[in-house]
Amino acid sequence: MKKRVYIAATGGTIAMGNGPDGYVPRPGFLRAQMQAMPELQTAEMPDYVLEEYDPLLDSANMTPAGWLRIARDIAAHYAGFDGFVVLHGTDTMAYTASALAFLLDGLAKPVIVTGSQIPLGEVRNDARLNLITALQVAVAPIPEVCVCFGSRLLRGCRVVKVSAGGLDAFDSPNFPALGRCGVDIQVDWKFVRASLGSPLVVKDLAAPFVAALRVFPGIRAGVLANILQPPLQGLVLETYGVGNIPDRDPELLTALEQAARRGVVIVNCTQCLTGSVDMHGYATGSALERAGVVGGGDMTAEAALAKLHYLLGLGLAPTAVKAEIGRDLRGELSV
Ligand code: ASP
């Protein structure tokens, strides 16, 4: 019997057409294009059910509520399908893929997130191959949320968008690719996580206040103090190198310290593409640790933001959130 894949089409360039102001999502466009693709009807392809979301989004408009909608949609169709493809814009794909990894607790089937840099309706496009490859990977026994884009299969909670115009738009700088999509699709099974055998659960989440801030030369304490004001509950602080911020302005550290004491969870992630935060390397980093900032290790800022949303959304106390930030929950962190 043919395997079955559920496709959640949330939007993105793959589902767009040309409008007066540039590309915009076009309802019905994707379904019509896919129906006109004979290759999707061949014996080697799984059967699919396409659910086109309303509204289709440019992923710049994706939100944490949107992440939850996708996760609940997958859970609602979980029993009836062998795998899942999420079609999504590339701009915030790294955030959504990270969030789905956390939200889909107990995942034992593949969830393959993809999209394209050129719409499926264009003569020359990357959408066709990304879609076909994602559908084929979605029936392999990979119990993970992955991004399958261009020539690689990557762990979803490790990806970053690294190219605005290239067809290999994503990288997983701190974790090896899970597979290569060349002449053959080759999965590197030693990097694929094992299924824990527990049932899939998408928990009810509150909508916590979370933000991200990239430290920059000349940053003033007032900027930091403002962003840390209530009702903020969590902040991803993107710092220099192994996790440093300027330490010659005591007010910067005071702003962080006061917020941490109020229970704001501040996660230190590096601005570098590769490597890990180590707050003991320099005095500037150690000061952050004393201020109550928690190290994000080699997590991407996207994964850290999604993880904060998940943990704070569960209603955990700040101390518990801090402890979980340092634990590897879905393969997002090297420990
Ligand atoms: N702006 C588009 C989006 O993220 C870009 C893309 O899909 O490549 O929805």
Side-chain angles (χ1 to χ4, degrees):
M1 223 175 66
K2 266 191 156 190
K3 297 216 172 169
R4 301 182 75 226
V5 174
Y6 181 81
I7 305 176
T10 70
T13 296
I14 195 163
M16 290 189 188
N18 246 321
D21 298 325
Y23 287 144
V24 280
R26 285 269 175 84
F29 218 55
L30 188 71
R31 188 179 305 280
Q33 305 281 344
M34 287 175 67
Q35 277 165 357
M37 286 172 66
E39 55 273 50
L40 294 183
Q41 318 307 329
T42 56
E44 61 196 287
M45 293 302 294
D47 285 336
Y48 69 84
V49 168
L50 173 67
E51 176 66 23
E52 201 180 76
Y53 280 25
D54 180 18
L56 288 169
L57 293 180
D58 184 304
S59 78
N61 291 312
M62 184 52 72
T63 59
W67 302 336
L68 206 50
R69 176 184 178 188
I70 304 168
R72 290 201 175 118
D73 189 21
I74 290 171
H77 294 92
Y78 196 66
F81 292 86
D82 299 286
F84 300 83
V85 168
V86 177
L87 299 180
H88 196 284
T90 59
D91 288 349
T92 63
M93 189 181 286
Y95 293 92
T96 298
S98 297
L100 290 178
F102 294 115
L103 292 172
L104 295 167
D105 195 5
L107 184 68
K109 296 181 181 183
V111 173
I112 311 299
V113 187
T114 195
S116 65
Q117 296 275 48
I118 309 172
L120 188 57
E122 297 284 327
V123 173
R124 178 177 166 273
N125 70 68
D126 57 333
R128 181 183 163 278
L129 196 55
N130 283 350
L131 177 62
I132 291 172
T133 308
L135 280 165
Q136 292 188 336
V137 174
V139 293
I142 302 172
E144 289 209 37
V145 177
C146 304
V147 166
C148 185
F149 206 98
S151 60
R152 284 184 306 167
L153 179 69
L154 306 168
R155 175 167 296 157
C157 53
R158 287 286 194 166
V159 301
V160 284
K161 184 176 179 182
V162 291
S163 174
L167 301 186
D168 264 322
F170 291 90
D171 199 0
S172 163
N174 276 329
F175 196 77
L178 299 185
R180 308 258 155 209
C181 312
V183 172
D184 300 310
I185 299 173
Q186 286 175 336
V187 178
D188 211 334
W189 294 105
K190 66 178 175 295
F191 296 124
V192 176
R193 280 166 74 81
S195 158
L196 299 177
S198 44
L200 180 78
V201 181
V202 177
K203 297 189 181 114
D204 280 331
L205 288 192
F209 282 84
V210 174
L213 179 72
R214 187 176 167 98
V215 171
F216 53 91
I219 186 170
R220 300 201 181 191
V223 171
L224 198 53
N226 265 331
I227 201 167
L228 288 163
Q229 286 299 314
L232 195 83
Q233 294 170 266
L235 179 74
V236 177
L237 190 65
E238 293 182 52
T239 59
Y240 306 133
V242 290
N244 303 315
I245 66 157
D247 66 351
R248 297 188 70 178
D249 177 359
E251 285 182 33
L252 269 180
L253 282 168
T254 306
L256 290 167
E257 205 170 352
Q258 286 178 345
R261 234 184 283 129
R262 283 200 309 271
V264 180
V265 180
I266 306 164
V267 183
N268 187 354
C269 286
T270 176
Q271 293 177 11
C272 297
L273 210 46
T274 62
S276 183
V277 160
D278 169 10
M279 291 197 287
H280 304 120
Y282 294 85
T284 45
S286 301
L288 280 180
E289 188 163 56
R290 281 196 299 278
V293 173
V294 57
D298 65 352
M299 267 190 293
T300 63
E302 290 89 335
L305 187 98
K307 192 170 179 178
L308 268 180
H309 260 284
Y310 173 65
L311 297 171
L312 290 166
L314 289 175
L316 300 182
T319 43
V321 174
K322 280 185 173 184
E324 292 295 288
I325 286 289
R327 281 185 55 220
D328 176 31
L329 303 182
R330 304 285 190 264
E332 77 281 6
L333 176 71
S334 310
V335 285

